Amino acid sequence: GDETFMLTVLPQHPGFERDRPITRFGHISKIATEPVQLSGGPNYPPATLAKAFLIEATTWPTNSGAPVFIHYSQRVDADESEGRITIGQAAPRLLGLCSGHYRVPAAVKLGDDEGTIDLNSGISIVTPASAILEVTRRPEHVGWRDAEVARLTGSPEP
């Protein structure tokens, strides 16, 4: 339930002269103790399992990569060698990077037409700060990144 916040850009108003980030607030719903399913997509790496925090914060596809911070109301440092506990000022710490959000399919009907749309569950996925480099070095992500660079630059894949 610890408080979180992330800095991201609102695509409808990114700023005129320079990027003007907005802040989204939330709470930790699940700590990163076991892997969760991360789904891929046409512009994202393939689906994979990874340790991640789940936070209750509504995000949109453009929020991927946003830094997510945890806000500690007090900092507690325990020094076991001297048997001392120090309570300090409140301080935000980097929790990780926003990796997406979970979608929930919902049935819709318009006249005689029926279908499904994806709704935002309000649960966002956060890659822990300690795992950012590990995730970027996975073979499937390196392959995806190389293919995207080749596609965007028009050069052959390495």
Side-chain angles (χ1 to χ4, degrees):
D2 288 321
E3 293 179 351
T4 62
F5 65 95
M6 72 177 78
L7 300 173
T8 187
V9 174
L10 181 66
Q12 294 85 351
H13 185 68
F16 295 111
E17 296 175 19
R18 63 181 189 164
D19 289 341
R20 298 284 183 182
I22 63 167
T23 307
R24 294 209 173 239
F25 298 90
H27 294 90
I28 293 179
S29 297
K30 180 191 162 305
I31 58 174
T33 55
E34 61 183 31
V36 297
Q37 179 70 40
L38 304 177
S39 60
N43 299 315
Y44 297 97
T48 186
L49 283 172
K51 285 189 177 180
F53 291 96
L54 299 182
I55 64 170
E56 191 162 355
T58 302
T59 57
W60 301 102
T62 57
N63 297 148
S64 294
V68 180
F69 299 90
I70 183 169
H71 182 266
Y72 292 111
S73 56
Q74 289 185 326
R75 189 180 84 234
V76 178
D77 296 316
D79 183 350
E80 293 180 20
S81 65
E82 294 188 25
R84 210 170 19 156
I85 294 177
T86 306
I87 299 176
Q89 295 285 332
R93 297 279 197 283
L94 180 66
L95 183 66
L97 297 179
C98 180
S99 302
H101 60 268
Y102 284 105
R103 297 172 293 202
V104 179
V108 293
K109 184 175 181 179
L110 182 60
D112 293 334
D113 294 329
E114 294 182 21
T116 52
I117 60 171
D118 286 333
L119 299 177
N120 188 322
S121 69
I123 300 294
S124 298
I125 304 162
V126 177
T127 299
S130 60
I132 293 169
L133 286 178
E134 172 197 334
V135 169
T136 63
R137 293 177 180 153
R138 288 184 178 166
E140 65 270 23
H141 291 186
V142 171
W144 171 82
R145 185 172 50 243
D146 290 346
E148 281 297 294
V149 168
R151 182 182 69 80
L152 294 170
T153 62
S155 61
E157 291 185 45

